[in-house]
Amino acid sequence: MANWELIIFDCDGVLVDSEPILNRIFAETLTEAGFTITYEEVCQKFVGKSLATCLEIITKTYGRPIPAKWIERCKEREIAALQRELQPTPGIVATLEQITLPKCVASNSSHRHIQLVLQLTGLLHQFEGKMYSSYDVDRPKPFPDVYLYAARQMGKAPENCVVIEDSVPGVQAGFAAGMTVFGYAQRRKNSSKGKIALHHDALIAA
């Protein structure tokens, strides 16, 4: 712990409680487009993966591509639902206020999405100018590219960075980057499997 110089947060599911909303809309719009899938299946197959990776999986599974306008329709529904329902994850507001180490965000989501959800939850000021996306690099998580990029931009060595993640691909990316990784999962019914529970309070000591 004495060597930690940077805390890198994933965004969805760690800073903002967006995944139940996004997974619900994802399942609803896919089903409406003729790609029948349940909320539970979305949680199992797609959590932590980039949109491009999700679309590849869907195309391979169903043997046909997603309709051209589906992405636009899905994003519109997501934004509307996020504006109505989105909240920060429990305890994160107080935790961020008490953390003294430098911190940033590194996510598979786009810059537009990261900015939107942090703004909606009042967390944007904590990460202004320190938001990094897999769209900035060649490969999304589970590859380490976005975490290594974030560390470079923040001027820190990977071995001195701590990653907070809630998905298996994200944990794999953090370990591949040579960073210390903590898994975070809320205690909620029907949560995705393969997560390690970690209270936000555990980070304050850093």
Side-chain angles (χ1 to χ4, degrees), residues 40-57:
E40 289 75 19
E41 288 173 322
V42 169
C43 292
Q44 292 169 1
K45 294 179 180 180
F46 302 124
V47 168
K49 296 181 172 66
S50 69
L51 177 60
T53 300
C54 293
L55 295 182
E56 289 177 7
I57 294 171

Side-chain angles (χ1 to χ4, degrees), residues 95-113:
T95 298
L96 292 175
E97 293 293 342
Q98 295 179 64
I99 289 175
T100 58
L101 286 177
K103 54 187 178 292
C104 66
V105 177
S107 171
N108 265 349
S109 297
S110 66
H111 279 284
R112 179 182 178 185
H113 174 84

Side-chain angles (χ1 to χ4, degrees), residues 160-206:
N160 296 328
C161 297
V162 176
V163 166
I164 312 301
E165 264 289 354
D166 73 318
S167 71
V168 172
V171 169
Q172 291 171 332
F175 276 119
M179 300 176 178
T180 299
V181 182
F182 288 144
Y184 170 75
Q186 292 186 50
R187 290 188 175 92
R188 61 153 55 99
K189 293 181 180 179
N190 299 324
S191 60
S192 302
K193 295 181 180 180
K195 296 182 180 180
I196 306 168
L198 171 74
H199 290 294
H200 282 129
D201 294 347
L203 300 176
I204 296 173

Side-chain angles (χ1 to χ4, degrees), residues 25-38 41 58-59 61-70 73 77:
I25 301 300
F26 202 75
E28 289 175 356
T29 55
L30 277 177
T31 298
E32 290 168 6
F35 298 77
T36 304
I37 191 168
T38 66
E41 288 173 322
I58 294 166
T59 298
T61 300
Y62 291 89
R64 64 185 192 278
I66 295 289
K69 293 187 177 181
W70 175 83
R73 182 163 58 255
R77 294 258 292 270

Side-chain angles (χ1 to χ4, degrees), residues 20 134 206:
S134 66

